[in-house]
């Protein structure tokens, strides 16, 4: 069966797509795609909050401000499920704890998935998930 995909929103962190079958489109007089995003994936890769030692590429800095903006948008869409894919060496504790709190207080069901490496500050964000998953090859580094 053919699946038709429509991109609802795309940003640095996430891409929201809705999938429909041709019969769903034929049987619906009008699809309200803008309010249909029930499942969303957010990718957190790179530095959390920027590095004080290096000049980071702005696109690879994961800040609490960016997360707040994304979650506000998802709230308007009435998103039911958020999957957060994490592959980061860490960064700022302040940004990480804020991102954690923003995710943890969201009404959607949050699943965090660790892929590759999650270290330092990114492990704080990983704890925000209602469900937490880790690939068999992933590495989790937690400071003492």
């Amino acid at each position: 069966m053919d699946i038709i995909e429509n991109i609802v929103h795309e940003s640095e962190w996430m891409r929201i797509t809705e999938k429909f079958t041709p019969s769903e489109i034929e049987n619906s007089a009008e699809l309200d795609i803008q309010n249909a995003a029930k499942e969303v994936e957010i990718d957190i890769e790179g530095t959390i909050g920027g590095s004080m030692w290096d000049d980071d590429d702005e696109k690879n800095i994961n800040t609490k401000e960016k997360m707040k903006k994304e979650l506000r948008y998802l709230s308007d869409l009435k998103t039911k499920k958020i999957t957060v894919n994490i592959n980061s060496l860490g960064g700022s504790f302040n940004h990480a704890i804020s991102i954690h709190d923003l995710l943890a207080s969201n009404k959607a069901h949050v699943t965090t998935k660790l892929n590759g490496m999650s270290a330092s500050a990114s492990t704080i964000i990983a704890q925000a998930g209602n469900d937490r998953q880790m690939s068999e090859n992933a590495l989790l580094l937690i400071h003492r």
Side-chain angles (χ1 to χ4, degrees), residues 19-33:
K19 297 175 184 173
F20 302 98
T21 63
S23 63
E24 286 175 318
I25 292 173
E26 287 172 14
N27 296 332
S28 174
E30 184 178 322
L31 287 174
D32 189 4
I33 292 172

Side-chain angles (χ1 to χ4, degrees), residues 62-117:
N62 302 288
T63 65
K64 58 187 174 186
E65 291 82 13
K66 286 182 185 178
M67 181 60 79
K68 187 181 260 185
K69 180 181 169 187
E70 299 290 9
L71 291 177
R72 228 182 258 133
Y73 183 81
L74 296 180
S75 178
D76 292 343
L77 290 178
K78 298 175 177 58
T79 300
K80 301 283 186 222
K81 181 179 177 189
I82 300 171
T83 300
V84 183
N85 300 306
I86 303 170
N87 183 8
S88 170
L89 296 176
S92 164
F93 173 81
N94 179 44
H95 282 270
I97 199 74
S98 293
I99 291 169
H100 169 280
D101 291 350
L102 288 166
L103 285 168
S105 65
N106 194 281
K107 291 180 181 177
H109 182 90
V110 177
T111 299
T112 52
K113 291 184 176 182
L114 304 182
N115 302 297
M117 183 170 196

Side-chain angles (χ1 to χ4, degrees), residues 5-19 37 39-43 70 73-74 77 83 85:
E5 231 178 74
N6 181 52
I7 298 173
V8 177
H9 174 75
E10 194 165 20
S11 69
E12 294 174 50
W13 277 11
M14 67 183 174
R15 180 179 183 155
I16 303 172
T17 57
E18 277 301 307
K19 297 175 184 173
E39 294 187 25
V40 175
E41 284 199 30
I42 298 175
D43 294 325
E70 299 290 9
Y73 183 81
L74 296 180
L77 290 178
T83 300
N85 300 306

